[in-house]
Amino acid sequence: MREAIAVAHQGLGQGELPIGAVVVLDDEIVATSYTKELSQGRLLVHAELLALDAADKILGARRREALLYTTLEPCLMWLGAAFSANIGTVVYALESPTDGAVEVSATWDRGRDAAGLPYHRLPKVIGGVLRAESGALFRKYDEGAKRSDWLVKWANNLAVLTEG
């Protein structure tokens, strides 16, 4: 998770939201990325999607052993991508009350024939790892932002989650 925070810090240095992702297999980092929505002017360049795409070329049959570390709770889009890529475990730092999808993953198999597609199962999800450090990055983004749009408000809302 410390590496995901370092990657998020790199993104912050580029003016991006401080969201970093790292894919690990056998204690070795195989892919990293930070969110590039602002620099690319696109929405489908979340840190996690970019890291998953890079890792997809490397993981092969050992996908279920891979871990994805990220500084923010999975949104539905990239949690679905982790599901489709058969990633074994997702570890995140800070919850995202507005668009986090962990609640969805907790109830996913209730109405689905999971036994019918045993290869397709949701990753194990672990949250709250280095939560305060991730919150501090969102505070830095909020304080350094030169604009007043929804991203700044969203970053502020995330930052206050870890403040006393």
Side-chain angles (χ1 to χ4, degrees), residues 5 14-15 26 33 39 45 58 62 70 76 80 84 87-89 92 95-96 101 103 108 110 121-122 124 130 154 161:
I5 288 175
Q14 297 298 312
D26 294 334
S33 188
S39 62
V45 287
I58 298 166
R62 300 191 56 216
T70 182
L76 189 56
S84 295
I87 298 300
T89 304
Y92 70 91
E95 67 275 12
S96 183
E103 181 82 19
W108 183 262
R110 286 188 190 158
R121 50 181 201 248
L122 280 171
K124 178 180 176 184
L130 299 181
W154 184 64
L161 290 173

Side-chain angles (χ1 to χ4, degrees), residues 6-159:
V7 171
H9 206 278
Q10 291 173 5
L12 182 63
Q14 297 298 312
E16 297 285 353
L17 285 164
I19 304 170
V22 175
V23 179
V24 175
L25 180 65
D26 294 334
D27 294 324
E28 182 180 325
I29 294 172
V30 296
T32 68
S33 188
Y34 56 82
T35 291
K36 297 180 180 175
E37 290 181 19
L38 298 174
S39 62
Q40 293 193 15
R42 301 178 335 126
L43 294 176
L44 300 181
V45 287
H46 288 202
E48 301 84 2
L49 289 175
L50 295 170
L52 283 169
D53 184 54
D56 186 44
K57 300 169 179 102
I58 298 166
L59 294 175
R62 300 191 56 216
R63 297 168 184 284
R64 281 310 220 174
E65 299 167 39
L67 290 94
L68 188 153
Y69 292 89
T70 182
T71 56
L72 192 63
E73 178 182 354
C75 71
L76 189 56
M77 177 177 59
W78 81 255
L79 184 60
F83 169 75
S84 295
N86 293 302
I87 298 300
T89 304
V90 169
V91 182
Y92 70 91
L94 183 64
E95 67 275 12
S96 183
T98 57
D99 64 344
V102 170
E103 181 82 19
V104 172
S105 72
T107 60
W108 183 262
D109 283 335
R110 286 188 190 158
R112 178 175 90 88
D113 179 14
L117 285 170
Y119 187 68
H120 285 86
R121 50 181 201 248
L122 280 171
K124 178 180 176 184
V125 179
I126 302 166
V129 177
L130 299 181
R131 181 177 180 267
E133 289 86 339
S134 182
L137 284 174
F138 281 97
R139 173 58 62 216
K140 281 184 182 179
Y141 179 86
D142 178 40
E143 291 170 352
K146 295 184 170 102
R147 58 193 190 286
S148 179
D149 62 10
W150 71 270
L151 285 176
V152 174
K153 292 175 187 166
W154 184 64
N156 181 57
N157 288 340
L158 291 171

